[in-house]
């Protein structure tokens, strides 16, 4: 099993190879795509990428927690989190891997 990480630079390089644009255009394209996804999530929109998966913003309520070092009780503030649900196609590809 491989523990490699796909980096932003590697994605940019793949776009250059596959699409045939310059490295700068590829980098700008990736930046713009990620900005669009981030902006949609900031406004609590759901992002659906067919054949890949869905990104959804969930609101979590305040709750009681515990400091693992001291055992002291603490209130965990309410917050918003991004969740990802992979598509069946992505799940299938990962399972085959």
């Amino acid at each position: 099993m491989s523990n490699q990480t796909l980096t932003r630079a590697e994605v940019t390089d793949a776009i250059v190879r596959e699409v045939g644009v310059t490295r700068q255009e590829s980098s700008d394209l990736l930046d713009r795509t990620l900005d669009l996804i981030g902006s949609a999530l900031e406004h609590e929109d759901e992002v659906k990428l067919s054949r890949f998966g869905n990104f959804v913003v969930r609101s979590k309520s305040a709750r009681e927690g515990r400091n693992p070092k001291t055992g002291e009780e603490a209130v965990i503030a309410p917050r918003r989190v991004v969740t990802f649900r992979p598509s069946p196609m992505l799940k299938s590809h990962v399972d085959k891997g």
Side-chain angles (χ1 to χ4, degrees):
M1 179 178 226
S2 173
N3 286 333
Q4 295 180 342
T5 300
L6 180 64
T7 66
R8 183 185 210 108
E10 291 169 332
V11 172
T12 299
D13 289 342
I15 293 170
V16 169
R17 281 192 312 275
E18 299 290 326
V19 180
V21 296
T22 67
R23 186 158 174 63
Q24 183 61 51
E25 290 171 328
S26 175
S27 180
D28 292 345
L29 177 64
L30 181 58
D31 287 343
R32 182 65 182 133
T33 302
L34 296 175
D35 286 345
L36 286 170
I37 292 171
S39 179
L41 293 171
E42 282 178 20
H43 293 95
E44 295 193 25
D45 294 333
E46 185 172 336
V47 176
K48 293 183 178 190
L49 301 174
S50 64
R51 300 183 350 193
F52 187 71
N54 300 335
F55 295 91
V56 180
V57 175
R58 287 187 34 221
S59 294
K60 296 188 116 184
S61 303
R63 62 185 176 92
E64 287 291 321
R66 195 174 295 278
N67 181 325
K69 271 189 172 179
T70 65
E72 182 180 328
E73 287 189 9
V75 176
I76 299 172
R79 64 191 193 276
R80 297 179 339 163
V81 297
V82 176
T83 60
F84 175 73
R85 298 207 58 196
S87 72
M89 182 179 281
L90 179 60
K91 285 181 182 179
S92 173
H93 284 302
V94 170
D95 192 37
K96 288 179 188 174

